[in-house]
Amino acid sequence: MSPALDVRDVRRAYGRVQALNGASLTLEAGRITCLLGPSGCGKSTLLRLIAGLEPVDGGEIRKAGVVVSGPGVHLPAEKRGIGLVFQDYALFPHLSGLGNAGFGLHGLPPAERKRQAADALARAHIDQRAEAYPGQLSGGERQRVALARALAPAPSVLLLDEPFSGLDGVLRAQVRDAALETLRESGAAVLIVTHDAEEAMRMGDQLALMQAGAILQTGTPEDCYLRPTSLDAARLLGPANALPARIENGMAVTAFGAVPAGTGGDTVIARPEAIVLADDGVEAEVTARRFVGSQTELTLLADNQRAAARLPSLTAPQVGTRIRVRLDPALCTVVTG
Ligand code: ADP
Ligand code: MG
């Protein structure tokens, strides 16, 4: 069966800015994919192209196997059955919650349209504010109305552009958890844009790591975190050391220890927590230390190499201490850097 959405090698330029440079991505029904990447890497552009708000310069987008964007093909946005929640929600200020939720429901008798809009508001847990106008709603409530509006026509593909960026702290977590439940119930293929790595890993069944107009890696959060395919991909999900390595007897040997070399390479990507204390390990000196709660961040020096480590605060050594460490292979990947 064809995937709900298949994006192949899509390109888009604005003047001399190549916003998308061969981006490829697959979305499946009932699966939540988080698109993670730094500001300006092309996330919003990719969403606009999928939604059909702009044509592609090259490549192809298929929905359930049917080409909707491609050379000489551009199915208009309103005919795609793809929902889009904009970053600023873009609610109509002169329409109530109910009016906003019913906006995309064309060609229905008024009573049926109202029923479906009310149903969408209920699914987004905002039916109690159906009569309120956007100006009377809090940020979290506006977010729910925007979600209801996108869900009302029952799209098979739903795109959300940084849907929680206007919210913070406890509210953000609450709105996010509620939205996630609503999105799961919809059964749609969902793509959520975020530039927050932890949020992406929390929400996504699947991650798509993006940089400079292309998707670097896709996979489960665990796969992407533990088995990055490049240093750039690794760093999108958190700090990572790039340790120069030489291959000896099937091992990649670094200043902080050795790990199985696998298919080989010249660099070991090691998460800070990959560096662990070991009596029989290599010697390293603690040159800096920062307490950040349950964990303490350390800078270690071994054989003229520096590396960032993270140890449980209760066991973290002081600056100037000489310790012995090894690398946990489960948190390391050998690449050609
Ligand atoms: P993101 O959402 O990841 O922050 P965008 O997709 O908004 O990134 O932008 C990607 C690149 O394309 C940026 O360099 C941005 O300045 C440029 N860009 C996006 N939209 C336009 C536009 N309409 N006109 C000119 N440049 C644009
Ligand atoms: Mg954006």
Side-chain angles (χ1 to χ4, degrees):
M1 215 177 83
S2 306
L5 192 88
D6 198 15
V7 177
R8 278 294 140 235
D9 206 23
V10 160
R11 292 165 189 281
R12 177 73 176 160
Y14 302 103
R16 259 181 264 165
V17 178
Q18 191 71 42
L20 292 179
N21 195 13
S24 300
L25 178 70
T26 301
L27 303 181
E28 301 282 357
R31 189 169 78 181
I32 294 177
T33 302
C34 283
L35 179 62
L36 177 72
S39 184
C41 76
K43 304 181 297 295
S44 296
T45 303
L46 182 58
L47 260 55
R48 287 197 302 275
L49 265 49
I50 295 172
L53 300 178
E54 291 176 30
V56 299
D57 293 343
E60 205 171 69
I61 300 172
R62 288 172 185 260
K63 186 179 171 240
V66 178
V67 178
V68 294
S69 289
V73 181
H74 184 80
L75 187 69
E78 63 276 12
K79 296 205 170 137
R80 291 198 176 196
I82 295 179
L84 175 60
V85 176
F86 292 94
Q87 185 169 5
D88 60 2
Y89 312 145
L91 294 174
F92 302 108
H94 61 288
L95 292 180
S96 67
L98 194 66
N100 268 285
F103 186 80
L105 300 168
H106 307 287
L108 294 174
E112 180 58 17
R113 184 172 179 169
K114 196 170 167 185
R115 196 193 64 74
Q116 288 191 19
D119 180 58
L121 288 172
R123 280 187 282 140
H125 308 287
I126 190 66
D127 41 325
Q128 73 285 6
R129 302 289 274 143
E131 301 308 323
Y133 288 81
Q136 301 168 314
L137 298 172
S138 71
E141 290 172 333
R142 281 202 286 273
Q143 205 276 336
R144 288 173 200 227
V145 172
L147 187 56
R149 182 176 66 183
L151 284 171
S156 59
V157 176
L158 187 54
L159 315 169
L160 300 97
D161 198 352
E162 308 216 22
F164 314 112
S165 62
L167 314 166
D168 37 42
V170 178
L171 177 67
R172 183 178 175 118
Q174 281 170 0
V175 171
R176 185 184 60 211
D177 291 350
L180 208 52
E181 197 185 312
T182 306
L183 291 169
R184 287 220 179 279
E185 283 166 7
S186 77
V190 176
L191 184 64
I192 305 177
V193 170
T194 174
H195 60 244
D196 180 327
E198 194 191 321
E199 187 166 277
M201 288 191 276
R202 233 175 235 290
M203 291 192 302
D205 303 313
Q206 189 86 2
L207 299 183
L209 306 180
M210 188 169 191
Q211 185 164 288
I215 307 294
L216 298 180
Q217 183 173 2
T218 57
T220 63
E222 232 176 302
D223 237 354
C224 293
Y225 188 85
L226 298 176
R227 287 172 285 282
T229 51
S230 66
L231 186 59
D232 284 343
R235 290 199 166 144
L236 285 175
L237 287 180
N241 296 295
L243 305 174
R246 60 176 199 279
I247 307 297
E248 267 174 29
N249 302 323
M251 300 294 280
V253 183
T254 79
F256 293 88
V259 295
T263 52
D266 57 15
T267 304
V268 171
I269 300 175
R271 295 286 175 197
E273 64 271 26
I275 301 178
V276 294
L277 297 172
D279 291 340
D280 57 351
V282 299
E283 200 175 77
E285 185 190 342
V286 180
T287 60
R289 183 185 200 270
R290 178 161 297 273
F291 173 85
V292 289
S294 67
Q295 301 277 302
T296 288
E297 294 176 359
L298 303 173
T299 305
L300 303 180
L301 183 66
D303 199 12
N304 274 326
Q305 281 287 313
R306 272 177 208 287
R310 266 178 101 88
L311 289 176
S313 288
L314 294 178
T315 62
Q318 299 298 326
V319 171
T321 314
R322 300 192 77 80
I323 58 176
R324 285 190 176 273
V325 298
R326 66 175 179 84
L327 293 175
D328 181 345
L331 289 157
C332 294
T333 314
V334 184
V335 298
T336 301

